[in-house]
Amino acid sequence: MAIRITFRPEKNQPPIVQTSLVQPLTSGADSIQEPQRGRKVIHNAAENKDIAEILAELDALVGLTTVKRLINEIQAYIEIQKRRTREKLTAEPLVLHMIFRGNPGTGKTTVARLIGKLFREMEVLQKGHIIECERADLVGEYIGHTAQKTRDQVKKALGGVLFIDEAYSLARGGEKDFGKEAIDALVKAMEDHKNELILILAGYKHEMEWFLQTNPGLRSRFPIHIDFPDYTIDELLSIGDSMLKARQYEFTPEARNAFRFMLQGLLNSHPYAGNARLVRNMVEKTIRKQAVRLYQKSSSSREELIRILPCDLSLEEEDLK
C-alpha cells in the first residue's frame, strides 16, 4: 500500500491523502505470516491495552493531525490483513518502510519511536526498538569499510526500526563517494531482512525528494511517505506550556504573551523556526534565567519557584541551531 500526504499551499485547505494498493500476493515470504505458536493472537487491536496506550500517546502530541490519521490507518490496515490471513483470504504484503520529510524538530523522531512500539505490540516487529544514525555512522573511510559499518547498524536494528536522519547526505558525494556503497548495503539489507526490519529515512522535504530521484529504485521500496509540517504559533505555544508543566513551571499571563510575541518574530524572520527543538531550547534557557533571578533572594515561595515572568525570557542566535 503506497501512501502519500501532500499539504496544500493555501491556508485552511485540507491535505491531499493519496493511496494505492499493490497487487496482492497469495503466498511467499512477503505474505502475512501466521502468528507463531505460543504467541498471543490479537483478535481486536482496540482491545489491546498497550496498543491503546501507544495510540493515546500519539494522539497527545501537539499538532501532526494528518500524521496521526495516517498512523491510525496503517494500524487498522495491518490488523485487517491479519484477520484476512486467519480467514484464509488473500492478504496484502506488509511493506512498511517509510520516508519522513520535514524540518528539524517537527516530530519525526518522536513519531518513529512510537511506530516502533506500536509495531512491536502488533507483532510486526519482534523488539520495536529504534536505532538512530546519520551519515557518519554508515559511511567509512576506505573501500569495504562502509558496507561493514552499515551492516553493523542494520544488525543493531534487527527486530526494530533503523532511523536515518539527513539520509540525502548519503548521495551528495557523487558516484565515487562511499555514501553510494551505504545505500547499496541498505537496499540489500531491506531484501535480506524484509520481515525483521523497518527502515525510515528522514530529512528536509526538498532534499529527500532529490535523494529519491538520484536512485530510481529507492522510491518503490518506500511506499509510505509522510510530510511533517512546521508547527503553527499556537502549537508552539502549546508545546512551550507542556514543557513547562512537565517541569512544574508555568507562564504568568504577561510572560505567555511575551513568549508568543517572541515566537511570532522568529517565525517571520527564520524559515525553520517552527519546530519543537527551538521551543525546548528557549524553555530551558528561561528556566535557568529564572533560577539566576531567584538565587539573588535569600528565600523563595512555592509560587515564585513556579512562575515564569517576562524578564526570564530571552533568545540568542545559538537557540536557533
Side-chain angles (χ1 to χ4, degrees):
M1 178 182 69
I3 303 172
R4 180 180 296 276
I5 297 176
T6 304
F7 287 86
R8 301 176 188 267
E10 301 86 5
K11 293 184 178 179
N12 301 320
Q13 291 295 315
I16 300 172
V17 181
Q18 298 171 301
T19 64
S20 61
L21 295 178
V22 297
Q23 291 298 315
L25 297 180
T26 57
S27 62
D30 285 335
S31 300
I32 306 292
Q33 302 297 313
E34 290 282 359
Q36 296 179 13
R37 182 171 298 176
R39 298 189 69 181
K40 63 181 179 181
V41 176
I42 303 172
H43 293 287
N44 186 344
E47 295 174 359
N48 185 296
K49 181 180 178 181
D50 292 328
I51 289 178
E53 289 178 352
I54 294 168
L55 293 177
E57 187 177 351
L58 174 68
D59 190 57
L61 297 177
V62 174
L64 303 177
T65 302
T66 309
V67 175
K68 295 172 185 177
R69 182 164 61 244
L70 176 58
I71 300 304
N72 276 275
E73 288 177 3
I74 294 172
Q75 182 254 336
Y77 167 78
I78 293 169
E79 174 62 21
I80 293 304
Q81 298 312 306
K82 292 167 71 174
R83 291 185 192 178
R84 290 179 60 88
T85 298
R86 289 196 294 269
E87 296 298 329
K88 310 302 181 183
L89 295 170
T90 300
E92 299 287 344
L94 288 185
V95 182
L96 299 172
H97 304 300
M98 306 180 188
I99 299 290
F100 284 6
R101 303 185 300 189
N103 294 326
T106 50
K108 298 187 296 296
T109 305
T110 299
V111 171
R113 290 169 181 162
L114 289 174
I115 285 174
K117 292 163 61 176
L118 177 64
F119 287 176
R120 178 192 63 208
E121 293 303 323
M122 298 194 71
E123 300 184 354
V124 174
L125 294 173
Q126 184 178 6
K127 299 178 182 178
H129 65 300
I130 181 171
I131 298 297
E132 302 174 40
C133 59
E134 53 190 21
R135 178 186 166 94
D137 301 306
L138 301 171
V139 178
E141 301 175 356
Y142 49 85
I143 296 176
H145 189 207
T146 294
Q148 184 58 50
K149 290 186 71 173
T150 303
R151 285 194 295 267
D152 289 343
Q153 295 298 327
V154 168
K155 185 177 180 180
K156 294 177 186 177
L158 289 180
V161 174
L162 180 59
F163 181 88
I164 304 177
D165 200 12
E166 297 183 356
Y168 49 81
S169 64
L170 296 175
R172 278 187 167 169
E175 286 294 320
K176 296 183 179 180
D177 183 71
F178 291 135
K180 184 178 183 300
E181 187 179 352
I183 296 173
D184 293 340
L186 288 171
V187 170
K188 185 176 187 302
M190 292 167 69
E191 292 295 325
D192 294 345
H193 306 287
K194 62 179 64 178
N195 297 320
E196 305 173 84
L197 176 73
I198 288 178
L199 183 59
I200 299 179
L201 305 184
Y204 292 102
K205 181 176 180 179
H206 296 298
E207 282 83 347
M208 289 304 295
E209 186 62 30
W210 167 83
F211 171 61
L212 292 174
Q213 291 175 358
T214 64
N215 189 325
L218 282 177
R219 190 180 297 276
S220 62
R221 297 176 187 275
F222 293 88
I224 302 174
H225 293 212
I226 305 180
D227 288 341
F228 287 71
D230 288 347
Y231 292 105
T232 65
I233 184 70
D234 288 333
E235 289 170 346
L236 291 174
L237 270 172
S238 181
I239 290 170
D241 288 334
S242 298
M243 289 179 175
L244 286 174
K245 183 178 180 180
R247 296 164 171 82
Q248 293 189 306
Y249 292 88
E250 65 179 30
F251 287 122
T252 63
E254 296 79 11
R256 195 171 191 274
N257 287 336
F259 192 68
R260 171 188 277 275
F261 182 79
M262 188 180 297
L263 287 172
Q264 189 63 67
L266 288 171
L267 290 177
N268 292 338
S269 59
H270 290 79
Y272 305 132
N275 65 77
R277 189 176 303 169
L278 169 65
V279 174
R280 185 189 65 219
N281 291 343
M282 294 172 65
V283 165
E284 290 176 350
K285 179 161 290 188
T286 294
I287 290 173
R288 292 196 298 270
K289 285 202 67 177
Q290 187 234 41
V292 171
R293 174 172 61 81
L294 294 179
Y295 183 72
Q296 298 172 6
K297 302 174 60 176
S298 59
S299 63
S300 302
S301 67
R302 176 183 176 84
E303 186 178 63
E304 287 176 320
L305 292 169
I306 293 174
R307 288 186 307 176
I308 297 295
L309 304 180
C311 61
D312 299 323
L313 299 174
S314 69
L315 181 69
E316 297 179 8
E317 190 64 28
E318 65 183 38
D319 296 325
L320 300 172
K321 299 177 181 179

